[in-house]
Amino acid sequence: MVARRGSPGPDPVALVEIDLYGELMIAAASADEERLSPDRIDEVLRVEADRSDSAKRSQRRKADRPERSERPERPEIDGPDAR
């Protein structure tokens, strides 16, 4: 069971991520090819991806992210030596 810090009980997001990872592992183990294609990964994870301009989206996401020094401190995640 996966528990959040300071919280009794499981972390529902972590449980979903573990389940999705398991689905990917099953798909990879039963695949004929050496690697799963991006389309097969999307199928396993039940997502629809528009790859026509994925590079542009990636660049926009990077531009929208604050620099490390601008991010708020999260001591419960980053720890005292993170900066």
Side-chain angles (χ1 to χ4, degrees), residues 61-75:
R61 272 188 248 127
K62 287 180 183 177
D64 291 341
R65 282 189 226 150
E67 292 296 320
R68 177 76 172 143
S69 60
E70 296 174 12
R71 291 183 183 169
E73 287 190 35
R74 299 172 301 170

Side-chain angles (χ1 to χ4, degrees), residues 37-47:
S37 69
D39 289 333
R40 178 66 178 127
I41 292 170
D42 290 343
E43 181 183 333
V44 170
L45 298 178
R46 293 176 229 101
V47 297

Side-chain angles (χ1 to χ4, degrees), residues 4 8 15 21 33 44 56-58 67 69 76:
R4 290 179 277 181
L15 293 175
Y21 183 75
E33 59 275 352
V44 170
K56 290 179 187 175
R57 284 194 309 266
S58 178
E67 292 296 320
S69 60
E76 70 281 358

Side-chain angles (χ1 to χ4, degrees), residues 5 68 72-83:
R5 289 185 185 154
R68 177 76 172 143
E73 287 190 35
R74 299 172 301 170
E76 70 281 358
I77 297 171
D78 295 331
D81 300 325
R83 291 202 178 224

Side-chain angles (χ1 to χ4, degrees), residues 11-52:
D11 179 346
V13 174
L15 293 175
V16 170
E17 289 175 354
I18 292 166
D19 186 51
L20 292 172
Y21 183 75
E23 294 293 328
L24 282 174
M25 294 298 293
I26 291 168
S30 63
D32 293 331
E33 59 275 352
E34 187 174 315
R35 295 174 185 252
L36 294 177
S37 69
D39 289 333
R40 178 66 178 127
I41 292 170
D42 290 343
E43 181 183 333
V44 170
L45 298 178
R46 293 176 229 101
V47 297
E48 293 182 21
D50 177 11
R51 299 193 191 287
S52 61

